[in-house]
């Protein structure tokens, strides 16, 4: 690490990689299509800006950035979160760090190393040919909810606060500024000036828009409301639900949001119409029958057949082409959703940067691009703006001959100009997405031989008690009380009420959702429906155990290499994997063993051994491992890895059946591809995500997400 004093940028005060004068300009950082294009010269030969920042000498240091003499420093792997050193990385709270890591684990499945320069100087971008899968589509929708969805909801509720006049002085100031600007035709200069102020002066955000928990604000009248979960136990979620770790409630909301969409779509496909059901008492067989929306096997066809319609492909000639068209469009839709979430995260990380990324460089660049708009708006009249806008609309509609010829010339002259002008390579260059920020933080730990501990596992449900409200969570300006509410109103809204989460807007909604898992009118315990489901679950459990036993015999005897790869993927009940940061229990070709990550050599090594390691110091999890005593079946230099992919212990259908019938977690694995073409598959890895994160953060590869 560099120890000399670094020169800071005279305009921003930032120092280190990515803070030069040219970084203030929204010019293309690199040519992503030119292998000889060079990255920022301040990177000091590092493969990317992320690598350069990770190995830089940081002013604010956490426990993972301190000097030590151990091969690997164990900062609290497998320990309760109260016993883990804090902060692990300077400038970021442990809870915020674990939030990023949890979401990184769900978002990143498959990485490939790339040789060409990366857009904006940061690797871990989504590949243009990103592979589609329904699970990745689900992750994209969940991510969209956690970023744009929650952000837009907070904006809507803040608009409701302003329009309600409950915070009278603040709304009066906004109204006075607006109408004075309107009177003198200064609306655009006013809006651009406020936007620039919000970008370059973070304190102004809490003055103009004082914070309040999203779940506590009513979107209609802007006043205090009871959170939908019945208690204000989290501040950044839409429902205020309890959580064990920061951000967990929002993640669970995102998952249930996708589940809700799927349930409504499934119910619609099945023709669910409870208002049309005949009247019956609670003791009838229909009242206890399991909900048909729980069984997704060809329900739409069953509904159509019941109505006398022909549903086969021979009769319905639109069936195959429509299904083909829908599935074909899924990949570009998934990619578009990912790009939207990426740019939202980049803007958020520019406005509120996390170390080690520069504090002011990106904010000044964003503000600098708005300054010309402010300057022009001082001289352009509303008439000139309207004439220019209408001309642009007309030219765009009727000017296709000119536009197409211009684009043809541009494509011939600069073939890859769209990639050069991408936001991530110009205006938003050097600004990370949350995944890019996460891998940079992981690289900081690896660069200091102090791997960051994974998010601690807590099996107990979060308590249904209100979270502490501080001035940073709920604030007002102009001397008014927060949300213009009394202390008793706030206390009544914050305290737990178990009935609130069941309230809907009408009886029709109650009937439509009456079969969901958390309904206000659940099925009777011990009824016919629950007995049928219990019977099927018990039968399936026995069949699954038999299949696992047979699979084990076939795997151990070598009859089937597929069965061999499934050995050990279903752990014993109530077992929790504990390992790391050096050792990870796993299997290779069915053999039990341990994966080791060693940094004693010149280059880090990944190895698998069926023997017992010998440690020369430490507690067996942070000391030195003598690799020659391990009798490794194979070893791979980490820098030679060109592809890492997460693989399932079972296929997705088998995993669902095992999870439902046995109530157990299935251990997954990794497939690693080496530069010489060799492939290594390790299975039954208890801490698969943690091993994946260490492998991809240790080397000098520039990754691309597939």
């Amino acid at each position: 690490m560099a120890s000399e004093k670094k020169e800071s940028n005279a305009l921003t005060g930032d120092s280190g990689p990515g803070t030069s004068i040219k970084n203030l300009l929204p010019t293309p950082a690199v040519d992503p299509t030119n292998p000889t294009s060079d990255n920022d010269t301040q990177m000091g030969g590092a493969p990317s800006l992320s690598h350069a920042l990770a190995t830089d000498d940081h002013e604010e240091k956490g426990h993972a950035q301190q000097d030590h003499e151990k091969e690997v420093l164990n900062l609290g792997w497998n320990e309760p979160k109260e016993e883990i050193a804090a902060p692990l990385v300077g400038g970021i709270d442990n809870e915020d760090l674990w939030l990023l890591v949890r979401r990184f684990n769900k978002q990143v499945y498959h990485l490939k190393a790339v040789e060409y320069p990366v857009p904006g100087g940061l690797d871990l971008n989504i590949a243009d040919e990103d592979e589609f899968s329904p699970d990745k589509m689900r992750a994209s929708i969940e991510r969209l909810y956690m970023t744009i969805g929650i952000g837009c909801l907070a904006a809507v509720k803040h608009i409701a606060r302003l329009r309600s006049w409950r915070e009278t002085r603040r709304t009066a100031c906004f109204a006075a500024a607006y109408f004075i600007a309107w009177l003198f035709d200064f609306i655009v200069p006013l809006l651009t000036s406020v936007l620039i102020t919000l970008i370059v002066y973070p304190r102004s955000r809490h003055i103009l828009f004082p914070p309040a928990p999203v779940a506590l604000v009513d979107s209609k009248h802007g006043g205090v409301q009871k959170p939908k979960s019945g208690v204000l136990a989290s501040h950044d979620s839409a429902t205020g639900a309890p959580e064990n770790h920061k951000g967990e409630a929002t993640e669970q909301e995102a998952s249930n949001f996708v589940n809700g969409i799927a349930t409504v779509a499934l119910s619609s496909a099945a023709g669910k119409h409870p208002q049309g059901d005949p009247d019956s008492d609670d003791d009838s067989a229909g009242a206890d029958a399991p909900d048909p929306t729980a069984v997704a096997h060809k329900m739409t066809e069953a509904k159509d057949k019941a109505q006398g319609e022909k549903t086969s492909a021979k009769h319905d000639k639109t069936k195959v082409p429509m299904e083909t068209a829908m599935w074909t469009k899924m990949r570009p839709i998934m990619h578009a959703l990912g790009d939207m979430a990426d740019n939202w995260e980049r803007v958020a990380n520019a406005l509120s940067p996390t170390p080690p990324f520069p504090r002011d460089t990106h904010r000044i660049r964003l503000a600098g691009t708005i300054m010309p708009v402010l300057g022009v708006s001082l001289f352009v009249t509303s008439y000139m703006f309207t004439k220019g806008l209408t001309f642009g609309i007309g030219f765009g509609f009727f000017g296709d001959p000119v536009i197409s010829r211009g684009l043809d010339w541009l494509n011939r002259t600069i073939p890859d100009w769209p990639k050069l002008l991408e936001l991530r390579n110009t205006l938003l260059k050097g600004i990370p997405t949350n995944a890019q920020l996460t891998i940079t933080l992981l690289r900081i730990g690896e660069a200091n031989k102090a791997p960051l501990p994974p998010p601690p596992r807590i099996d107990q449900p979060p308590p249904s008690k209100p979270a502490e409200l501080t001035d940073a969570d709920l604030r007002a300006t102009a001397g008014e009380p927060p949300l213009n509410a009394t202390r008793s109103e706030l206390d009544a809204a914050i305290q737990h009420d178990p009935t609130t989460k069941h309230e809907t807007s009408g009886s029709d909604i109650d009937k439509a959702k009456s079969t969901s898992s958390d309904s206000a009118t659940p099925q009777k315990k011990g009824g016919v429906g629950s007995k049928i489901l219990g019977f099927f679950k018990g039968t399936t459990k026995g069949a699954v155990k038999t299949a696992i036993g047979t699979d084990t015999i076939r795997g151990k005897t070598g009859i089937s290499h597929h069965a061999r790869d499934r050995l050990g993927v279903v752990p014993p009940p109530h077992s929790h994997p504990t390992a790391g940061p050096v050792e990870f229990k796993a299997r290779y070709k069915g053999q039990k063993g341990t994966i080791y990550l060693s940094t004693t050599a010149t280059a880090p090594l990944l190895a698998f051994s069926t023997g017992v390691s010998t440690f020369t110091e430490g507690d067996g999890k942070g000391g030195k491992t003598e690799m020659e005593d391990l009798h490794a079946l194979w070893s791979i230099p980490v820098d030679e890895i060109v592809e890492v992919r997460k693989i399932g212990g079972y296929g997705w259908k088998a995993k669902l059946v095992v999870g439902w019938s046995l109530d157990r977690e299935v251990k997954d694995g990794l497939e690693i591809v080496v530069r010489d073409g060799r492939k290594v598959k390790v299975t039954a890895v208890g801490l698969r995500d943690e091993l994946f994160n260490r492998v991809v953060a240790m080397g000098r590869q520039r990754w691309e997400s597939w």
Side-chain angles (χ1 to χ4, degrees):
M1 285 198 172
S3 58
E4 64 274 7
K5 184 176 178 59
K6 297 174 290 186
E7 293 184 5
S8 61
N9 188 313
L11 293 178
T12 64
D14 292 332
S15 61
T19 60
S20 62
I21 294 294
K22 74 175 185 179
N23 286 105
L24 296 175
L25 303 175
T27 54
V30 295
D31 182 355
T33 62
N34 183 4
T36 63
S37 176
D38 194 13
N39 283 325
D40 189 341
T41 55
Q42 287 197 51
M43 292 182 190
S48 72
L49 178 60
S50 173
H51 291 84
L53 288 168
T55 55
D56 192 35
D57 187 18
H58 310 115
E59 295 181 2
E60 189 175 0
K61 296 185 178 182
H63 289 269
Q65 295 154 294
Q66 303 296 330
D67 294 332
H68 62 88
E69 296 182 356
K70 293 184 177 181
E71 180 203 342
V72 174
L73 180 63
N74 189 342
L75 291 173
W77 284 60
N78 307 310
E79 298 294 337
K81 67 177 181 178
E82 296 81 8
E83 299 181 16
I84 296 176
L88 290 166
V89 179
I92 180 172
D93 185 74
N94 283 2
E95 287 285 355
D96 293 315
L97 172 63
W98 291 328
L99 179 149
L100 290 169
V101 173
R102 282 198 314 272
R103 297 180 183 179
F104 180 87
N105 293 342
K106 292 182 179 180
Q107 177 185 343
V108 179
Y109 295 82
H110 184 187
L111 297 182
K112 292 182 181 181
V114 294
E115 299 298 330
Y116 50 80
V118 287
L122 291 169
D123 64 331
L124 204 65
N125 294 287
I126 299 175
D128 293 334
E129 300 81 18
D130 185 21
E131 301 166 339
F132 170 79
S133 72
D135 192 43
K136 291 176 73 172
M137 172 64 87
R138 178 191 178 96
S140 297
I141 298 174
E142 289 182 4
R143 184 172 167 228
L144 203 70
Y145 174 89
M146 292 185 288
T147 53
I148 299 178
I150 291 293
C152 290
L153 180 61
V156 167
K157 295 200 171 187
H158 217 109
I159 291 172
R161 289 174 61 184
L162 282 172
R163 295 187 68 243
S164 69
W165 284 86
R166 292 178 64 88
E167 300 167 74
T168 310
R169 296 175 188 172
R170 186 165 70 99
T171 305
C173 291
F174 271 79
Y178 181 87
F179 285 109
I180 291 173
W182 170 82
L183 185 63
F184 293 99
D185 289 332
F186 262 57
I187 290 293
V188 176
L190 172 67
L191 295 179
T192 51
S193 299
V194 170
L195 184 57
I196 291 171
T197 303
L198 292 172
I199 291 173
V200 300
Y201 187 49
R203 188 180 174 189
S204 65
R205 303 169 199 168
H206 287 173
I207 295 174
L208 295 176
F209 303 101
V214 177
L216 195 61
V217 181
D218 191 287
S219 59
K220 293 182 180 179
H221 57 69
V224 176
Q225 70 168 4
K226 190 77 173 176
K228 299 301 183 183
S229 66
V231 62
L232 185 66
S234 56
H235 298 150
D236 55 356
S237 64
T239 61
E243 58 187 7
N244 283 320
H245 295 292
K246 182 178 180 180
E248 271 190 345
T250 306
E251 295 160 17
Q252 291 164 353
E253 284 177 0
S255 177
N256 289 316
F257 174 74
V258 179
N259 290 343
I261 294 175
T263 301
V264 171
L266 204 56
S267 299
S268 301
K272 184 177 181 180
H273 185 60
Q275 291 85 354
D277 291 345
D279 294 334
S280 61
D281 54 29
D282 291 338
D283 295 328
S284 66
D288 287 323
D291 181 16
T293 61
V295 184
H297 183 63
K298 294 187 177 181
M299 289 186 303
T300 306
E301 288 87 343
K303 174 180 75 72
D304 292 339
K305 287 179 180 178
Q307 295 174 350
E309 298 180 13
K310 303 296 185 181
T311 60
S312 67
K314 291 182 179 179
H315 294 85
D316 186 356
K317 299 301 182 181
T318 67
K319 184 181 180 67
V320 174
M322 277 302 297
E323 288 180 351
T324 303
M326 288 293 294
W327 284 107
T328 302
K329 294 297 181 182
M330 285 298 103
R331 190 172 78 171
I333 290 174
M334 182 184 73
H335 198 81
L337 295 178
D339 287 342
M340 290 169 59
D342 280 349
N343 288 328
W344 184 279
E345 290 175 356
R346 287 189 179 102
V347 172
N349 287 326
L351 297 178
S352 302
T354 300
F357 286 88
R359 184 185 61 184
D360 295 314
T361 300
H362 303 143
R363 288 204 293 251
I364 292 178
R365 186 200 306 146
L366 291 178
T369 58
I370 302 174
M371 288 294 291
V373 179
L374 174 60
V376 171
S377 66
L378 296 174
F379 305 102
V380 175
T381 64
S382 57
Y383 173 78
M384 296 167 62
F385 175 76
T386 303
K387 293 293 286 184
L389 179 64
T390 51
F391 172 79
I393 293 173
F395 182 76
F397 192 85
F398 298 106
D400 183 66
V402 177
I403 295 172
S404 59
R405 285 179 174 82
L407 290 176
D408 288 341
W409 174 84
L410 196 58
N411 289 330
R412 290 194 306 270
T413 308
I414 312 174
D416 298 297
W417 65 271
K419 284 194 172 296
L420 280 174
L421 299 181
E422 286 180 340
L423 282 175
R424 63 183 176 179
N425 200 38
T426 51
L427 181 61
L428 301 179
K429 64 179 180 180
I431 306 174
T433 63
N434 286 350
Q436 292 170 332
L437 172 59
T438 305
I439 198 169
T440 302
L441 296 172
L442 292 171
R443 282 170 175 160
I444 288 176
E446 297 299 336
N448 291 276
K449 297 187 177 181
L452 302 182
R457 181 166 181 163
I458 300 177
D459 294 326
Q460 293 77 19
S464 297
K465 64 179 183 179
E468 181 182 1
L469 272 179
T470 64
D471 189 53
D473 305 313
L474 182 62
R475 186 187 303 176
T477 55
E480 296 176 313
L483 300 177
N484 200 23
T486 64
R487 184 72 250 179
S488 60
E489 289 177 327
L490 289 174
D491 289 340
I494 291 170
Q495 296 301 320
H496 182 226
D497 182 356
T499 63
T500 304
K501 61 183 178 182
H502 299 293
E503 295 176 359
T504 64
S505 58
S507 59
D508 56 333
I509 305 298
D510 289 334
K511 291 180 180 179
K513 72 177 283 288
S514 61
T515 52
S516 67
S517 60
D518 192 19
S519 172
T521 57
Q523 291 182 353
K524 293 188 302 179
K525 186 175 181 180
V528 176
S530 62
K531 289 180 179 178
I532 293 175
L533 291 176
F535 170 77
F536 280 115
K537 184 173 183 178
T539 304
T540 306
K541 183 176 182 179
V544 167
K545 285 185 174 181
T546 302
I548 291 175
T550 305
D551 221 28
T552 301
I553 296 173
R554 295 174 68 225
K556 288 183 176 180
T557 56
I559 297 176
S560 168
H561 70 275
H562 293 295
R564 181 190 63 194
D565 288 341
R566 293 191 291 266
L567 289 174
V569 298
V570 180
H574 311 297
S575 64
H576 299 304
T578 57
V582 175
E583 302 180 8
F584 297 87
K585 299 297 181 183
R587 287 178 183 253
Y588 174 67
K589 293 184 177 179
Q591 298 182 74
K592 284 185 180 180
T594 306
I595 295 174
Y596 295 93
L597 280 166
S598 173
T599 56
T600 54
T602 305
L605 284 174
L606 178 72
F608 179 86
S609 172
T610 56
V612 180
S613 62
T614 302
F615 289 91
T616 58
E617 62 176 71
D619 59 356
K621 296 177 182 177
K624 294 184 178 179
T625 309
E626 299 298 338
M627 293 298 296
E628 61 271 14
D629 295 336
L630 295 178
H631 306 293
L633 295 184
W634 51 259
S635 62
I636 301 171
V638 172
D639 285 335
E640 292 297 311
I641 296 174
V642 296
E643 186 176 345
V644 187
R645 183 166 67 97
K646 296 178 181 179
I647 57 175
Y650 282 119
W652 68 272
K653 290 181 285 188
K655 184 180 287 189
L656 288 178
V657 173
V658 171
W660 174 66
S661 61
L662 301 182
D663 295 319
R664 294 190 209 170
E665 182 180 357
V666 176
K667 291 182 181 180
D668 296 318
L670 288 179
E671 184 178 76
I672 299 168
V673 181
V674 191
R675 197 177 302 276
D676 59 12
R678 183 164 43 118
K679 288 186 179 181
V680 174
K681 182 192 291 186
V682 289
T683 57
V685 186
L687 296 177
R688 191 271 308 271
D689 289 338
E690 289 74 10
L691 175 61
F692 179 91
N693 293 348
R694 284 215 64 194
V695 169
V696 302
M698 289 181 77
R700 292 175 55 84
Q701 297 94 332
R702 290 180 288 214
W703 298 110
E704 189 173 60
S705 180
W706 285 70

